C-alpha cells in the first residue's frame, strides 16, 4: 500500500499515521471513497470528491478542498505510473479540537474483484433490520453518507461467506430490495434497467453513470421498488460499484439464476464516454 498525504508527500502503508485518539479510530467517525484507476486514470473523480464532501457535511465536519485531495491523489498515482489500482480517500473527524485526518491510499486491484466481474457472485438475501422508508425520519442513521462505520456491512458479508455465498442483498423490513453491503443492485429486464429508489441506501456513482449511458443507448430506466420475487423474475441481476464495476448475480439464496452473460452489455455502457 502507498499512502499519499494532502501536501503531496508519499509514505509506505506500514508507517503510522493516525493518533490513537482520532475519532475515526475511536468511533468510526469519518468518511471515505473508493475509486478505480484504470491505465493511470481515476474513474469519476469529481463525483467521488463531491460525495466525500457531502458525506462529511452529513457528519457535521468539513474536509479539505478538492485541490488538496488532488495533491494526495496525484502523489499516489505517481507511485503506480499508468497502472490499474484502487484509490481510497479517507477523512476522519480527527482528534478532539484538531483538524480532520486525511489521506489517500493506493493498492492493487484485488484478485477477488477481477474474478467476481467474470464469474459473478452467489448472494444471500439478508434482513436489513429496518425499512428504507424509515431512514428519512432518522437522518442520524446516515444511510446516505459513505461513513467509515462499515462494521455492520462487513459482518453481513462474513455471515454470507460462512454460509458459502459471496455477497449479500439487503432486504428492508417492508420487503423491498435495498442494496448490497458495498454495491448497488441493478435489475435488467429486456432493454430496461431498474434500480431501487434511494430510500435508506447510498446514492451510487456507478449506477448513475450506468443509467445515463443506458438512456443514451435507448434503454428505458427506472428507480422502482423491487421485491425478492422481482429479482427472481428478472432477466439479469447485477451488483454495481466503483471498483468491481459489474458483478453478475449467479444465485440468490442458493437458487441459480440466469442472465450473467448480460454483464458485458453493462460493462460496455459503463465504458461509454460520459455525457
Ligand atoms: C453501501 C454501498 N452502496 C452502494 C455502493 C455503490 O456505490 P458506488 O457506485 O458509488 O461505488 C457502495 C460502494 O461504495 C456502498 O458501499
Amino acid at each position: 500500500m502507498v499512502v499519499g498525504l494532502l501536501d503531496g508527500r508519499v509514505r509506505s502503508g506500514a508507517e503510522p499515521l493516525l493518533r490513537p485518539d482520532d475519532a475515526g479510530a475511536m468511533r468510526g467517525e469519518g468518511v471515505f471513497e473508493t475509486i478505480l484507476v484504470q491505465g493511470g486514470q481515476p474513474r469519476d473523480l469529481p463525483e467521488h470528491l463531491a460525495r466525500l464532501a457531502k458525506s462529511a457535511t452529513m457528519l457535521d465536519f468539513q474536509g479539505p478542498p478538492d485541490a488538496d485531495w488532488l495533491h494526495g491523489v496525484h502523489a499516489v498515482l505517481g507511485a503506480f505510473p499508468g497502472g490499474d489500482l484502487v484509490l481510497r480517500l479517507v477523512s476522519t473527524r480527527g482528534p478532539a479540537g484538531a483538524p480532520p485526518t486525511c489521506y489517500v491510499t493506493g493498492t492493487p486491484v484485488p484478485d477477488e474483484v477481477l474474478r467476481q466481474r467474470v464469474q459473478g457472485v452467489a448472494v444471500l438475501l439478508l434482513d436489513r433490520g429496518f425499512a428504507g422508508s424509515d431512514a428519512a425520519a432518522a437522518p442520524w442513521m446516515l444511510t446516505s453518507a459513505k461513513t467509515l462505520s462499515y462494521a455492520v456491512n462487513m459482518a453481513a458479508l462474513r455471515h454470507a461467506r460462512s454460509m458459502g455465498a459471496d455477497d449479500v442483498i439487503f432486504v428492508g423490513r417492508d420487503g423491498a430490495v435495498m442494496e448490497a453491503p458495498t454495491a448497488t443492485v441493478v435489475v435488467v429486464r429486456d432493454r430496461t434497467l431498474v434500480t431501487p429508489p434511494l430510500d435508506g441506501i447510498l446514492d451510487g456513482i456507478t449506477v448513475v453513470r450506468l443509467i445515463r449511458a443506458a438512456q443514451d443507448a435507448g434503454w428505458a430506466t427506472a428507480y422502482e421498488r423491487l421485491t425478492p420475487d422481482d429479482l427472481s423474475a428478472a432477466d439479469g441481476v447485477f451488483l454495481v460499484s466503483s471498483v468491481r464495476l459489474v458483478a453478475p448475480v449467479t444465485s440468490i439464496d442458493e437458487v441459480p439464476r440466469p442472465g450473467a452473460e448480460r454483464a458485458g452489455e453493462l460493462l460496455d455502457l459503463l465504458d461509454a464516454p460520459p455525457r
Side-chain angles (χ1 to χ4, degrees), residues 172-187:
R173 276 291 157 101
D174 57 354
V177 169
M178 294 177 74
E179 64 184 348
T182 66
T184 307
V185 177
V186 167
V187 154

Side-chain angles (χ1 to χ4, degrees), residues 128 143 153 168-170 177-181 183-185 196 200-202:
R128 186 71 175 103
T143 52
N153 298 28
V168 167
I169 292 179
F170 286 124
V177 169
M178 294 177 74
E179 64 184 348
T184 307
V185 177
I201 65 173
L202 188 72

Side-chain angles (χ1 to χ4, degrees), residues 32-35 44 47-48 51 128 143 145-147 150 153-154 170 178-185 200-209 239-245:
F32 76 105
E33 285 293 323
T34 25
I35 302 171
D44 300 321
E47 289 80 1
H48 284 284
R51 188 170 64 187
R128 186 71 175 103
T143 52
K146 196 164 166 65
T147 77
Y150 261 51
N153 298 28
M154 296 301 107
F170 286 124
M178 294 177 74
E179 64 184 348
T182 66
T184 307
V185 177
I201 65 173
L202 188 72
D203 190 359
I205 289 169
T206 314
V207 72
V208 168
R209 161 67 65 95
L239 302 186
V240 307
S241 58
S242 296
V243 173
R244 245 184 319 182
L245 298 177

Side-chain angles (χ1 to χ4, degrees), residues 114-272:
L114 302 174
R115 199 171 50 244
Q116 290 184 350
R117 275 187 208 151
V118 178
Q119 293 178 358
V121 285
V123 308
L124 288 189
L125 300 180
L126 293 187
D127 183 354
R128 186 71 175 103
F130 60 88
S133 53
D134 294 339
W140 42 86
M141 287 178 67
L142 299 173
T143 52
S144 51
K146 196 164 166 65
T147 77
L148 290 174
S149 310
Y150 261 51
V152 169
N153 298 28
M154 296 301 107
L157 282 179
R158 281 195 305 277
H159 175 75
R161 284 168 191 162
S162 76
M163 306 287 284
D166 305 300
D167 216 312
V168 167
I169 292 179
F170 286 124
V171 179
R173 276 291 157 101
D174 57 354
V177 169
M178 294 177 74
E179 64 184 348
T182 66
T184 307
V185 177
V186 167
V187 154
V188 170
R189 302 177 187 137
D190 191 18
R191 292 253 298 169
T192 300
L193 200 143
V194 182
T195 192
L198 293 177
D199 304 329
I201 65 173
L202 188 72
D203 190 359
I205 289 169
T206 314
V207 72
V208 168
R209 161 67 65 95
L210 194 57
I211 285 171
R212 280 204 201 120
Q215 289 171 347
D216 289 350
W219 293 50
T221 65
Y223 285 87
E224 191 179 293
R225 184 180 194 274
L226 294 167
T227 63
D229 284 348
D230 294 325
L231 299 184
S232 303
D235 295 338
V237 178
F238 302 90
L239 302 186
V240 307
S241 58
S242 296
V243 173
R244 245 184 319 182
L245 298 177
V246 176
V249 174
T250 53
S251 73
I252 298 181
D253 289 346
E254 298 184 8
V255 180
R257 56 149 305 113
E261 73 285 353
R262 299 202 59 183
E265 292 171 59
L266 302 192
L267 277 169
D268 288 348
L269 289 172
L270 281 180
D271 279 339

Side-chain angles (χ1 to χ4, degrees), residues 37-138:
V37 179
Q38 292 175 308
Q41 298 298 320
R43 294 179 70 108
D44 300 321
L45 184 56
E47 289 80 1
H48 284 284
L49 288 171
R51 188 170 64 187
L52 190 66
K54 183 176 155 217
S55 296
T57 302
M58 293 173 78
L59 268 69
D60 290 326
F61 76 93
Q62 195 182 2
D66 289 356
D68 292 5
W69 282 113
L70 292 180
H71 285 135
V73 166
H74 289 301
V76 172
L77 293 182
F80 296 81
D84 289 0
L85 63 140
V86 177
L87 284 178
R88 183 173 286 248
L89 279 52
V90 179
S91 175
T92 76
R93 184 186 294 287
T101 306
C102 301
Y103 55 95
V104 180
T105 65
T107 47
V109 181
D111 288 341
E112 188 183 49
V113 163
L114 302 174
R115 199 171 50 244
Q116 290 184 350
R117 275 187 208 151
V118 178
Q119 293 178 358
V121 285
V123 308
L124 288 189
L125 300 180
L126 293 187
D127 183 354
R128 186 71 175 103
F130 60 88
S133 53
D134 294 339

